[in-house]
Amino acid sequence: MTLSADDIASAAQLIHDHRGMTVEVFGRSFDTVGRESKSRVFATVYALSDKDFLLAIKECLRIAADNGFVEKLLAEISFNLPNQDDLRTVVPTDIILKAEKGLHQTVFPDSGGLQSVEIVNVVGKVQPKIGVIRDKRCNQEYIGTCFLVGADLIMTAAHVIWGMIDFEKNPPQEIPGATDGVQVEFWNLGGRFAPNQPRVAKFARKWLVAASEPCGTPPRDLDCTNLELAAKNHDFALVRIDEKIGDKIGILDIHDPADAQMNTLLVVVGHAGGTDCWFHSETLLEHRRRTGRLHHKANTADGMSGGACLDKLARVVGIHEGTVQSNGSRYNRSVHMLPIRRKIKQLTEDPLSPRSRRLRWLPASQATDSWKSLGFPDVRSDHPIVGRTAFQDWVRRAAMAAAPSG
């Protein structure tokens, strides 16, 4: 729905008069979000308005309304303001909704518009740890969402980075050179360095830690009918990045995942194909434990695949997989975190364990051999014990041997 002239004039005046608003802030924001719709750049609009800032704002709002990015524009301006005031609380909600109606193809009509402040608290806790995967070789560079689960570990959906993994191998292997030009960006408050300056990490040299194949053929085909396939393929990838960002901004702990109960609240957080991060919450309709799938009607959009699914305590209970059409109805599907965690625990060394029992300075095979050579056959449970007296004797003998003679 196009905004009326009065709506545009009212919103433009509020934006123009807001503290901290400048031509540079507005122009940079408009150009950032308008790039996707290939709209006219702000410099042109400003020049055609005889450098009348208020007139330029009105014209930019008209362009934003026609192309469906009014709310995105307000969010981007808020992001660039020195005080980061949220303009979406300044411009009347009815104007924002009027501009956006009919543009969210994944919105379910019965989902409701109001969100509890309890949900905002959940999102506030997790937002720094939510990242977006960017592949500069693609036309749509922002290919999916991820989240930090370790100091240098991220979790995403396997279908997001499908072309980078060879699933014909067992276990799945990295495809050489497939991650050239790929990086992970953290744009959210608490995760970024500063407005318009995200934290950025590359995939590590040996980046694939664990993965389970998607159901169907990415990027679009999701097989939702083969239950045997769903019970085996859990569509996740655990990836190591080249910087321990989690030590600086925190992680989402999935070491002991919480269960997901039907008829409880589910929150989905992710990047909708760009640097903006979105969320929505709805009731968990069904938990199919045999296949490890969660069915819900929380709204999602392209790009949110790999996003974290959370309960009301901000605990990760799943990872967003895709949308399913069934008998004329539609629901979103996520993979429960418990079967994913079980698969990760089956690795020779659990990368999510708070402490490793291996001799980490050796390759895994050598560490195992060394451990056994000391007389401890089970590397998972056997531990050498050195008594205090024996240890002190060893130190004394070593010191005497090193002492100069005479």
Side-chain angles (χ1 to χ4, degrees), residues 315-397:
R315 299 177 299 186
V316 180
V317 295
I319 183 170
H320 179 56
E321 182 183 24
T323 302
V324 175
Q325 300 266 5
S326 177
N327 298 322
S329 64
R330 181 171 57 182
Y331 62 87
N332 277 320
R333 193 169 91 166
S334 302
V335 185
H336 190 211
M337 193 54 65
L338 277 175
I340 293 175
R341 183 68 182 103
R342 282 196 291 267
K343 285 192 171 180
I344 295 172
K345 284 182 177 180
Q346 291 171 3
L347 297 174
T348 305
E349 180 182 359
D350 182 359
L352 299 175
S353 175
R355 57 181 182 177
S356 174
R357 298 186 179 96
R358 285 200 172 274
L359 304 177
R360 296 188 64 90
W361 57 91
L362 293 176
S365 59
Q366 294 180 37
T368 299
D369 292 341
S370 299
W371 200 266
K372 290 181 178 178
S373 72
L374 295 172
F376 306 105
D378 191 341
V379 298
R380 293 169 299 181
S381 60
D382 292 336
H383 304 271
I385 299 175
V386 179
R388 179 179 178 186
T389 301
F391 180 69
Q392 288 176 333
D393 288 343
W394 176 82
V395 172
R396 185 170 58 254
R397 288 196 304 272

Coordinates of all heavy atoms in Angstrom, one line a residue, residues 315-397:
R315 N 17.6 -20.0 25.4 CA 18.4 -21.2 25.1 C 18.2 -21.7 23.7 O 17.0 -21.7 23.2 CB 18.0 -22.3 26.1 CG 18.3 -21.9 27.6 CD 17.8 -23.0 28.5 NE 16.3 -23.3 28.4 CZ 15.7 -24.1 29.2 NH1 16.3 -24.8 30.2 NH2 14.4 -24.3 29.0
V316 N 19.2 -22.1 23.0 CA 19.1 -22.6 21.7 C 18.5 -24.0 21.7 O 19.0 -24.9 22.3 CB 20.5 -22.7 21.0 CG1 20.3 -23.2 19.5 CG2 21.2 -21.3 21.0
V317 N 17.3 -24.1 21.0 CA 16.6 -25.4 20.9 C 16.6 -25.9 19.5 O 16.3 -27.1 19.3 CB 15.2 -25.3 21.5 CG1 15.2 -25.1 23.0 CG2 14.4 -24.3 20.7
G318 N 17.0 -25.1 18.5 CA 17.0 -25.6 17.1 C 17.7 -24.6 16.2 O 18.2 -23.6 16.6
I319 N 17.8 -25.0 14.9 CA 18.4 -24.2 13.9 C 17.4 -24.2 12.7 O 16.8 -25.2 12.3 CB 19.7 -24.8 13.5 CG1 20.4 -24.0 12.4 CG2 19.6 -26.2 13.0 CD1 21.9 -24.4 12.2
H320 N 17.2 -23.0 12.2 CA 16.1 -22.8 11.2 C 16.5 -23.5 9.9 O 17.6 -23.4 9.4 CB 15.9 -21.3 10.9 CG 14.8 -21.1 9.8 ND1 13.6 -21.6 9.9 CD2 14.9 -20.4 8.6 CE1 12.9 -21.3 8.8 NE2 13.7 -20.6 8.1
E321 N 15.6 -24.3 9.3 CA 15.8 -25.1 8.1 C 15.1 -24.6 6.9 O 15.7 -24.5 5.8 CB 15.4 -26.5 8.4 CG 15.6 -27.5 7.3 CD 15.1 -28.9 7.6 OE1 14.2 -29.0 8.5 OE2 15.7 -29.9 7.0
G322 N 13.8 -24.3 7.0 CA 13.1 -23.9 5.8 C 11.6 -23.9 6.0 O 11.1 -24.1 7.1
T323 N 10.8 -23.7 4.9 CA 9.4 -23.5 5.0 C 8.7 -24.7 4.2 O 9.2 -25.1 3.2 CB 8.9 -22.2 4.3 OG1 9.5 -21.1 5.0 CG2 7.4 -22.1 4.3
V324 N 7.6 -25.2 4.8 CA 6.9 -26.4 4.2 C 5.5 -26.0 3.8 O 4.8 -25.4 4.7 CB 7.0 -27.6 5.2 CG1 6.2 -28.7 4.6 CG2 8.4 -28.0 5.5
Q325 N 5.1 -26.3 2.6 CA 3.7 -26.2 2.2 C 3.0 -27.6 2.4 O 3.5 -28.6 1.9 CB 3.6 -25.8 0.8 CG 4.2 -24.5 0.5 CD 3.3 -23.3 0.5 OE1 2.1 -23.5 0.9 NE2 3.7 -22.1 0.2
S326 N 1.9 -27.7 3.1 CA 1.3 -29.0 3.4 C -0.2 -28.8 3.4 O -0.8 -28.1 4.3 CB 1.8 -29.5 4.7 OG 1.1 -30.7 5.0
N327 N -0.9 -29.5 2.4 CA -2.4 -29.5 2.4 C -3.0 -28.1 2.4 O -3.9 -27.8 3.1 CB -3.0 -30.3 3.5 CG -2.5 -31.8 3.4 OD1 -2.5 -32.3 2.3 ND2 -2.3 -32.4 4.5
G328 N -2.4 -27.2 1.7 CA -2.9 -25.8 1.6 C -2.4 -24.9 2.8 O -2.6 -23.7 2.8
S329 N -1.8 -25.5 3.8 CA -1.3 -24.7 4.9 C 0.2 -24.6 4.8 O 0.9 -25.3 4.1 CB -1.7 -25.3 6.3 OG -1.1 -26.6 6.4
R330 N 0.8 -23.7 5.6 CA 2.3 -23.5 5.6 C 2.8 -23.4 7.0 O 2.2 -22.8 7.9 CB 2.6 -22.3 4.8 CG 4.0 -21.9 4.6 CD 4.3 -20.8 3.7 NE 3.6 -19.6 4.0 CZ 3.6 -18.5 3.3 NH1 4.2 -18.5 2.2 NH2 2.9 -17.4 3.7
Y331 N 4.0 -24.0 7.2 CA 4.6 -23.8 8.5 C 6.1 -23.8 8.2 O 6.6 -24.2 7.2 CB 4.3 -25.0 9.4 CG 4.7 -26.4 9.0 CD1 5.9 -26.9 9.2 CD2 3.7 -27.1 8.2 CE1 6.3 -28.2 8.8 CE2 4.1 -28.4 7.8 CZ 5.4 -28.9 8.1 OH 5.7 -30.2 7.6
N332 N 6.9 -23.3 9.2 CA 8.3 -23.3 9.2 C 8.9 -24.5 9.9 O 8.3 -25.0 10.9 CB 8.9 -22.0 9.7 CG 8.9 -20.9 8.7 OD1 9.1 -21.2 7.5 ND2 8.5 -19.7 9.1
R333 N 10.0 -25.0 9.5 CA 10.6 -26.2 10.1 C 12.0 -25.9 10.5 O 12.8 -25.3 9.8 CB 10.6 -27.4 9.0 CG 10.9 -28.7 9.6 CD 10.6 -29.8 8.7 NE 11.8 -30.2 7.9 CZ 11.9 -31.3 7.2 NH1 10.9 -32.2 7.1 NH2 13.0 -31.6 6.5
S334 N 12.3 -26.4 11.7 CA 13.7 -26.2 12.3 C 14.2 -27.6 12.7 O 13.4 -28.5 13.0 CB 13.7 -25.3 13.5 OG 13.2 -24.0 13.1
V335 N 15.5 -27.7 12.8 CA 16.1 -29.0 13.3 C 16.4 -28.8 14.8 O 17.0 -27.8 15.2 CB 17.4 -29.3 12.6 CG1 17.9 -30.6 13.0 CG2 17.2 -29.2 11.1
H336 N 15.9 -29.8 15.6 CA 16.1 -29.7 17.0 C 17.6 -29.9 17.3 O 18.3 -30.6 16.7 CB 15.3 -30.9 17.7 CG 15.3 -30.8 19.2 ND1 15.2 -31.9 20.0 CD2 15.3 -29.7 20.0 CE1 15.1 -31.5 21.3 NE2 15.2 -30.2 21.3
M337 N 18.1 -29.2 18.3 CA 19.5 -29.2 18.6 C 20.0 -30.5 19.3 O 21.2 -30.8 19.2 CB 19.8 -28.0 19.5 CG 21.3 -27.7 19.7 SD 22.2 -27.4 18.1 CE 21.3 -25.9 17.5
L338 N 19.1 -31.2 19.9 CA 19.6 -32.4 20.6 C 20.2 -33.5 19.7 O 21.3 -34.0 19.9 CB 18.5 -33.0 21.4 CG 18.3 -32.4 22.8 CD1 17.0 -33.0 23.5 CD2 19.5 -32.6 23.7
P339 N 19.5 -33.8 18.5 CA 20.2 -34.8 17.6 C 21.4 -34.2 17.0 O 22.4 -35.0 16.7 CB 19.1 -35.1 16.6 CG 18.1 -34.0 16.7 CD 18.1 -33.5 18.1
I340 N 21.5 -32.9 16.8 CA 22.7 -32.3 16.3 C 23.8 -32.5 17.3 O 25.0 -32.9 16.9 CB 22.5 -30.8 16.0 CG1 21.5 -30.6 14.8 CG2 23.8 -30.1 15.7 CD1 21.2 -29.2 14.5
R341 N 23.5 -32.2 18.5 CA 24.6 -32.3 19.6 C 25.0 -33.8 19.7 O 26.2 -34.0 19.9 CB 24.0 -31.9 20.9 CG 25.0 -31.8 22.0 CD 26.1 -30.8 21.8 NE 27.1 -30.8 22.9 CZ 28.3 -31.4 22.8 NH1 28.7 -31.9 21.6 NH2 29.1 -31.3 23.8
R342 N 24.1 -34.7 19.6 CA 24.5 -36.2 19.7 C 25.5 -36.5 18.6 O 26.5 -37.2 18.8 CB 23.3 -37.1 19.6 CG 22.5 -37.1 20.9 CD 21.6 -38.3 20.9 NE 20.5 -38.1 20.0 CZ 19.3 -37.6 20.3 NH1 19.1 -37.2 21.6 NH2 18.3 -37.4 19.4
K343 N 25.3 -36.0 17.4 CA 26.2 -36.3 16.3 C 27.6 -35.6 16.5 O 28.6 -36.2 16.2 CB 25.7 -35.7 14.9 CG 24.5 -36.6 14.4 CD 24.2 -36.2 13.0 CE 23.2 -37.3 12.4 NZ 22.8 -37.0 11.0
I344 N 27.6 -34.4 17.1 CA 28.9 -33.8 17.4 C 29.7 -34.6 18.5 O 30.9 -34.7 18.4 CB 28.7 -32.3 17.8 CG1 28.1 -31.5 16.6 CG2 30.0 -31.7 18.3 CD1 27.7 -30.1 17.0
K345 N 29.0 -35.1 19.4 CA 29.6 -35.9 20.5 C 30.2 -37.2 20.0 O 31.1 -37.7 20.6 CB 28.6 -36.2 21.6 CG 28.2 -35.1 22.5 CD 27.3 -35.5 23.6 CE 27.0 -34.3 24.6 NZ 26.0 -34.8 25.6
Q346 N 29.8 -37.6 18.8 CA 30.4 -38.9 18.2 C 31.7 -38.7 17.6 O 32.4 -39.6 17.2 CB 29.4 -39.4 17.2 CG 28.1 -40.0 17.8 CD 27.1 -40.3 16.7 OE1 27.3 -40.2 15.5 NE2 25.9 -40.7 17.2
L347 N 32.2 -37.4 17.5 CA 33.5 -37.2 16.9 C 34.6 -37.7 17.9 O 34.3 -37.9 19.1 CB 33.7 -35.7 16.7 CG 32.8 -34.9 15.7 CD1 33.0 -33.4 15.8 CD2 33.0 -35.5 14.3
T348 N 35.7 -38.0 17.3 CA 36.8 -38.5 18.1 C 37.1 -37.6 19.3 O 37.4 -38.0 20.4 CB 38.1 -38.7 17.3 OG1 37.8 -39.5 16.2 CG2 39.2 -39.3 18.1
E349 N 37.1 -36.3 19.1 CA 37.2 -35.3 20.1 C 36.1 -34.3 20.1 O 35.8 -33.8 19.0 CB 38.5 -34.6 20.0 CG 38.7 -33.5 21.0 CD 40.0 -32.7 20.9 OE1 40.8 -33.0 19.9 OE2 40.3 -31.9 21.7
D350 N 35.4 -34.1 21.2 CA 34.2 -33.2 21.2 C 34.7 -31.8 21.2 O 35.2 -31.3 22.2 CB 33.4 -33.5 22.4 CG 32.1 -32.7 22.5 OD1 31.9 -31.9 21.6 OD2 31.4 -32.8 23.5
P351 N 34.5 -31.1 20.1 CA 35.0 -29.7 20.0 C 34.2 -28.7 20.9 O 34.7 -27.6 21.2 CB 34.7 -29.3 18.6 CG 33.6 -30.2 18.1 CD 33.7 -31.5 18.9
L352 N 33.1 -29.2 21.5 CA 32.3 -28.3 22.3 C 32.5 -28.6 23.8 O 31.9 -28.0 24.7 CB 30.8 -28.4 22.0 CG 30.4 -28.0 20.6 CD1 28.9 -28.3 20.4 CD2 30.7 -26.5 20.3
S353 N 33.4 -29.6 24.1 CA 33.6 -29.9 25.5 C 34.4 -28.8 26.1 O 35.3 -28.2 25.5 CB 34.5 -31.2 25.5 OG 34.9 -31.5 26.9
P354 N 34.1 -28.4 27.4 CA 34.8 -27.3 28.0 C 36.2 -27.6 28.3 O 37.0 -26.7 28.5 CB 34.0 -27.2 29.4 CG 33.3 -28.5 29.6 CD 33.0 -29.0 28.2
R355 N 36.6 -28.9 28.3 CA 38.0 -29.2 28.4 C 38.3 -30.5 27.7 O 37.5 -31.4 27.8 CB 38.5 -29.3 29.9 CG 37.7 -30.3 30.7 CD 38.1 -30.3 32.1 NE 37.4 -31.3 32.9 CZ 37.7 -31.6 34.2 NH1 38.6 -30.9 34.8 NH2 37.0 -32.5 34.8
S356 N 39.4 -30.6 27.0 CA 39.8 -31.8 26.3 C 40.7 -32.6 27.1 O 41.6 -32.1 27.8 CB 40.4 -31.4 25.0 OG 40.9 -32.5 24.3
R357 N 40.6 -33.9 27.0 CA 41.5 -34.8 27.7 C 42.6 -35.3 26.8 O 43.4 -36.1 27.2 CB 40.7 -36.0 28.2 CG 39.6 -35.7 29.2 CD 39.0 -36.9 29.8 NE 38.0 -36.6 30.7 CZ 36.7 -36.5 30.5 NH1 36.3 -36.7 29.2 NH2 35.8 -36.2 31.4
R358 N 42.7 -34.7 25.6 CA 43.8 -35.2 24.7 C 45.1 -34.4 24.9 O 45.1 -33.3 25.5 CB 43.3 -35.0 23.2 CG 42.3 -36.0 22.8 CD 42.3 -36.1 21.3 NE 41.5 -37.2 20.9 CZ 41.9 -38.4 20.8 NH1 43.2 -38.7 21.0 NH2 41.1 -39.4 20.4
L359 N 46.2 -35.0 24.4 CA 47.4 -34.3 24.4 C 47.3 -33.4 23.1 O 47.7 -33.8 22.0 CB 48.6 -35.2 24.2 CG 48.7 -36.3 25.3 CD1 49.8 -37.3 25.1 CD2 48.8 -35.7 26.7
R360 N 46.9 -32.1 23.3 CA 46.4 -31.3 22.2 C 47.6 -30.9 21.3 O 47.3 -30.4 20.2 CB 45.7 -30.1 22.7 CG 44.4 -30.5 23.5 CD 43.6 -29.2 23.8 NE 43.2 -28.5 22.6 CZ 42.0 -28.8 22.0 NH1 41.2 -29.7 22.4 NH2 41.7 -28.1 20.9
W361 N 48.8 -30.9 21.8 CA 49.9 -30.4 20.9 C 50.3 -31.5 19.9 O 51.2 -31.2 19.1 CB 51.1 -30.0 21.8 CG 51.6 -31.1 22.6 CD1 52.6 -32.0 22.3 CD2 51.2 -31.4 24.0 NE1 52.8 -32.9 23.4 CE2 52.0 -32.6 24.4 CE3 50.3 -30.9 24.8 CZ2 51.8 -33.1 25.7 CZ3 50.1 -31.4 26.1 CH2 50.9 -32.5 26.5
L362 N 49.7 -32.7 19.9 CA 50.0 -33.7 18.9 C 48.7 -33.9 18.1 O 47.6 -33.7 18.5 CB 50.3 -35.0 19.6 CG 51.6 -35.1 20.4 CD1 51.7 -36.5 21.0 CD2 52.8 -34.9 19.4
P363 N 48.9 -34.4 16.8 CA 47.7 -34.8 16.0 C 47.0 -35.9 16.8 O 47.6 -36.6 17.6 CB 48.4 -35.3 14.7 CG 49.7 -34.7 14.6 CD 50.1 -34.5 16.1
A364 N 45.7 -36.1 16.5 CA 44.9 -37.0 17.3 C 45.4 -38.4 17.3 O 45.5 -39.0 18.4 CB 43.5 -37.0 16.7
S365 N 45.9 -38.9 16.2 CA 46.3 -40.3 16.1 C 47.6 -40.5 17.0 O 47.8 -41.5 17.7 CB 46.6 -40.7 14.7 OG 47.6 -39.9 14.1
Q366 N 48.5 -39.5 16.9 CA 49.7 -39.6 17.7 C 49.5 -39.4 19.2 O 50.1 -40.0 20.0 CB 50.7 -38.5 17.2 CG 51.2 -38.7 15.8 CD 52.2 -37.6 15.4 OE1 53.0 -37.1 16.2 NE2 52.1 -37.2 14.2
A367 N 48.5 -38.6 19.5 CA 48.2 -38.4 20.9 C 47.6 -39.7 21.5 O 48.0 -40.0 22.6 CB 47.1 -37.2 21.0
T368 N 46.8 -40.4 20.7 CA 46.2 -41.6 21.2 C 47.3 -42.7 21.4 O 47.4 -43.4 22.4 CB 45.2 -42.2 20.2 OG1 44.1 -41.2 20.1 CG2 44.6 -43.5 20.7
D369 N 48.2 -42.8 20.5 CA 49.4 -43.7 20.6 C 50.2 -43.4 21.8 O 50.7 -44.3 22.5 CB 50.2 -43.7 19.3 CG 49.4 -44.3 18.1 OD1 48.4 -45.0 18.4 OD2 49.8 -44.0 17.0
S370 N 50.5 -42.1 22.0 CA 51.3 -41.7 23.1 C 50.7 -42.0 24.4 O 51.3 -42.4 25.4 CB 51.6 -40.2 23.0 OG 52.3 -39.9 21.8
W371 N 49.4 -41.8 24.5 CA 48.6 -42.0 25.7 C 48.7 -43.5 26.1 O 49.0 -43.9 27.2 CB 47.2 -41.6 25.5 CG 46.4 -41.4 26.8 CD1 45.6 -42.3 27.4 CD2 46.4 -40.2 27.6 NE1 45.1 -41.7 28.6 CE2 45.5 -40.5 28.7 CE3 47.0 -39.0 27.5 CZ2 45.2 -39.5 29.7 CZ3 46.7 -38.0 28.4 CH2 45.8 -38.3 29.5
K372 N 48.5 -44.4 25.0 CA 48.5 -45.8 25.3 C 49.9 -46.3 25.6 O 50.1 -47.2 26.4 CB 48.0 -46.5 24.0 CG 46.5 -46.4 23.7 CD 46.1 -47.1 22.5 CE 44.6 -47.0 22.3 NZ 44.2 -47.6 21.0
S373 N 51.0 -45.6 25.1 CA 52.3 -46.0 25.4 C 52.7 -45.8 26.9 O 53.6 -46.4 27.4 CB 53.3 -45.3 24.5 OG 53.4 -43.9 24.9
L374 N 51.9 -44.9 27.5 CA 52.1 -44.7 28.9 C 51.4 -45.7 29.8 O 51.5 -45.6 31.0 CB 51.7 -43.2 29.3 CG 52.4 -42.1 28.6 CD1 51.7 -40.8 28.9 CD2 53.9 -42.1 29.1
G375 N 50.7 -46.6 29.2 CA 50.0 -47.6 29.9 C 48.5 -47.3 30.2 O 47.9 -47.9 31.1
F376 N 48.0 -46.3 29.5 CA 46.6 -45.9 29.7 C 45.8 -46.1 28.4 O 45.8 -45.3 27.5 CB 46.5 -44.4 30.1 CG 47.4 -44.0 31.3 CD1 48.6 -43.3 31.1 CD2 47.0 -44.4 32.6 CE1 49.4 -43.0 32.2 CE2 47.8 -44.1 33.6 CZ 49.0 -43.4 33.4
P377 N 45.2 -47.3 28.3 CA 44.6 -47.7 27.0 C 43.4 -46.9 26.6 O 43.1 -46.7 25.4 CB 44.2 -49.2 27.2 CG 44.1 -49.3 28.7 CD 45.1 -48.4 29.3
D378 N 42.6 -46.4 27.6 CA 41.4 -45.7 27.2 C 41.6 -44.2 27.4 O 41.7 -43.6 28.5 CB 40.2 -46.1 28.2 CG 38.9 -45.5 27.7 OD1 38.8 -44.6 26.9 OD2 37.8 -46.1 28.1
V379 N 41.7 -43.5 26.2 CA 42.0 -42.0 26.2 C 40.9 -41.2 26.8 O 41.1 -40.0 27.1 CB 42.4 -41.5 24.8 CG1 43.6 -42.2 24.3 CG2 41.2 -41.7 23.9
R380 N 39.7 -41.8 26.9 CA 38.5 -41.0 27.4 C 38.4 -41.0 28.9 O 37.7 -40.2 29.5 CB 37.3 -41.5 26.7 CG 37.2 -41.2 25.2 CD 36.1 -42.0 24.6 NE 36.2 -43.4 24.7 CZ 35.4 -44.3 24.2 NH1 34.3 -43.9 23.6 NH2 35.6 -45.6 24.4
S381 N 38.9 -42.1 29.5 CA 38.7 -42.2 31.0 C 39.9 -42.3 31.8 O 39.9 -42.1 33.0 CB 37.7 -43.4 31.2 OG 38.4 -44.6 30.8
D382 N 41.0 -42.8 31.3 CA 42.2 -43.1 32.1 C 43.0 -41.8 32.2 O 43.2 -41.0 31.3 CB 43.1 -44.1 31.4 CG 42.4 -45.5 31.4 OD1 41.6 -45.7 32.3 OD2 42.8 -46.3 30.6
H383 N 43.5 -41.6 33.5 CA 44.3 -40.4 33.8 C 45.5 -40.8 34.6 O 45.4 -41.6 35.6 CB 43.5 -39.4 34.6 CG 42.2 -39.0 34.0 ND1 42.1 -38.0 33.1 CD2 40.9 -39.6 34.0 CE1 40.8 -37.9 32.7 NE2 40.1 -38.8 33.2
P384 N 46.7 -40.3 34.2 CA 47.9 -40.6 35.0 C 47.9 -39.9 36.3 O 47.4 -38.7 36.4 CB 49.1 -40.2 34.2 CG 48.5 -39.1 33.3 CD 47.0 -39.5 33.1
I385 N 48.3 -40.5 37.4 CA 48.4 -39.8 38.7 C 49.9 -39.8 39.2 O 50.5 -40.9 39.3 CB 47.5 -40.5 39.8 CG1 46.0 -40.4 39.3 CG2 47.7 -39.8 41.2 CD1 45.1 -41.1 40.2
V386 N 50.4 -38.7 39.5 CA 51.8 -38.6 40.0 C 51.7 -38.2 41.5 O 51.2 -37.1 41.7 CB 52.6 -37.6 39.2 CG1 54.0 -37.6 39.7 CG2 52.7 -38.1 37.7
G387 N 52.2 -39.0 42.4 CA 52.1 -38.7 43.8 C 53.1 -37.5 44.1 O 54.0 -37.2 43.4
R388 N 52.7 -36.8 45.2 CA 53.5 -35.5 45.5 C 55.0 -35.9 45.8 O 55.9 -35.2 45.4 CB 52.8 -34.9 46.7 CG 53.6 -33.6 47.1 CD 52.8 -33.0 48.3 NE 53.6 -31.8 48.8 CZ 53.2 -31.1 49.8 NH1 52.1 -31.4 50.5 NH2 53.9 -30.0 50.2
T389 N 55.2 -36.9 46.6 CA 56.5 -37.3 47.0 C 57.4 -37.7 45.8 O 58.5 -37.2 45.6 CB 56.5 -38.4 48.0 OG1 55.8 -38.0 49.2 CG2 58.0 -38.8 48.4
A390 N 56.8 -38.5 44.9 CA 57.5 -38.9 43.7 C 57.9 -37.7 42.8 O 58.9 -37.6 42.3 CB 56.7 -39.9 43.0
F391 N 56.9 -36.8 42.8 CA 57.1 -35.6 41.9 C 58.3 -34.7 42.5 O 59.1 -34.3 41.8 CB 55.8 -34.8 41.8 CG 55.9 -33.6 41.0 CD1 56.1 -33.7 39.6 CD2 55.9 -32.3 41.5 CE1 56.2 -32.6 38.8 CE2 56.0 -31.2 40.8 CZ 56.2 -31.3 39.4
Q392 N 58.2 -34.6 43.8 CA 59.3 -33.8 44.5 C 60.7 -34.4 44.3 O 61.7 -33.7 44.1 CB 59.0 -33.6 45.9 CG 57.8 -32.6 46.2 CD 57.4 -32.5 47.6 OE1 57.7 -33.4 48.4 NE2 56.9 -31.3 48.0
D393 N 60.7 -35.7 44.4 CA 62.0 -36.4 44.2 C 62.5 -36.2 42.8 O 63.7 -36.1 42.6 CB 61.8 -38.0 44.5 CG 61.7 -38.2 46.0 OD1 62.0 -37.3 46.8 OD2 61.2 -39.3 46.3
W394 N 61.6 -36.3 41.8 CA 62.0 -36.1 40.4 C 62.5 -34.7 40.2 O 63.5 -34.5 39.5 CB 60.8 -36.4 39.5 CG 61.0 -36.1 38.1 CD1 61.6 -36.9 37.2 CD2 60.7 -34.9 37.3 NE1 61.7 -36.4 36.0 CE2 61.2 -35.1 36.0 CE3 60.1 -33.7 37.7 CZ2 61.1 -34.1 35.0 CZ3 60.0 -32.7 36.7 CH2 60.5 -33.0 35.4
V395 N 61.9 -33.7 40.8 CA 62.3 -32.3 40.7 C 63.7 -32.2 41.3 O 64.6 -31.5 40.7 CB 61.3 -31.3 41.3 CG1 61.9 -29.9 41.3 CG2 60.0 -31.3 40.5
R396 N 63.9 -32.8 42.5 CA 65.2 -32.7 43.2 C 66.4 -33.3 42.4 O 67.4 -32.8 42.2 CB 65.1 -33.3 44.6 CG 66.4 -33.1 45.4 CD 66.2 -33.5 46.8 NE 65.8 -34.9 46.9 CZ 64.6 -35.3 47.3 NH1 63.7 -34.4 47.5 NH2 64.3 -36.6 47.3
R397 N 66.1 -34.5 41.8 CA 67.1 -35.2 41.0 C 67.5 -34.4 39.8 O 68.6 -34.3 39.4 CB 66.6 -36.6 40.6 CG 66.6 -37.6 41.8 CD 66.5 -39.0 41.3 NE 65.3 -39.2 40.4 CZ 64.1 -39.5 40.9 NH1 63.9 -39.7 42.2 NH2 63.1 -39.7 40.0

